[in-house]
Amino acid sequence: QVQLVESGGGLVQAGGSLRLSCAASGRTFSSVAMGWFRQAPGKEREFVATINWFGGTLYADSVKGRFTISRDNAKNTLILRMNSLKPEDTAVYYCAARRSGNSASSIAAYDDWGQGTQVTVSS
């Protein structure tokens, strides 16, 4: 099992930037795929981005070109840099870990989840 703790959320104006972090402990971080998901009020949780064990990335179309996922294996930390934020990016953002090193975009593919961090983008 992997314990995950997100941080870095907050309130930002449209067009602004935020950097989310996810601190991981437990299973060997460098060997597993990680992902970011988000859930807006009244909506289902949705895929944002994923990174596999060797750094390959995949993004949802809605964030492609604006968000960047990365990992620091030395610090057991997952990062999501968010630029050009829009009000529709407002959601609780969750960090998730797989037991596999291969990326996936489906919620069911992930085994461990953090508690989430709130991101609010004002217009």
Side-chain angles (χ1 to χ4, degrees):
Q1 187 175 4
V2 177
Q3 291 75 45
L4 304 169
V5 179
E6 302 96 336
S7 62
L11 174 63
V12 63
Q13 289 188 334
S17 299
L18 280 176
R19 180 181 182 271
L20 304 184
S21 296
C22 174
S25 61
R27 196 183 311 130
T28 304
F29 176 79
S30 62
S31 64
V32 301
M34 301 291 297
W36 286 100
F37 292 78
R38 67 186 181 186
Q39 188 166 16
K43 295 187 177 181
E44 295 186 350
R45 192 170 299 190
E46 65 176 7
F47 167 72
V48 174
T50 181
I51 186 167
N52 61 22
W53 69 276
F54 59 89
T57 59
L58 178 68
Y59 297 91
D61 288 343
S62 59
V63 306
K64 201 173 296 183
R66 300 188 298 121
F67 290 10
T68 303
I69 187 172
S70 62
R71 63 192 303 160
D72 185 339
N73 290 335
K75 296 182 179 179
N76 283 5
T77 300
L78 181 71
I79 303 294
L80 185 68
R81 290 182 174 86
M82 306 186 294
N83 297 322
S84 302
L85 283 161
K86 305 174 181 180
E88 51 263 43
D89 294 319
T90 295
V92 177
Y93 283 71
Y94 297 91
C95 168
R98 300 197 70 198
R99 295 199 180 108
S100 165
N102 298 319
S103 296
S105 59
S106 65
I107 293 172
Y110 288 80
D111 303 289
D112 300 292
W113 293 82
Q115 293 301 305
T117 185
Q118 176 70 48
V119 171
T120 303
V121 184
S122 63
S123 57

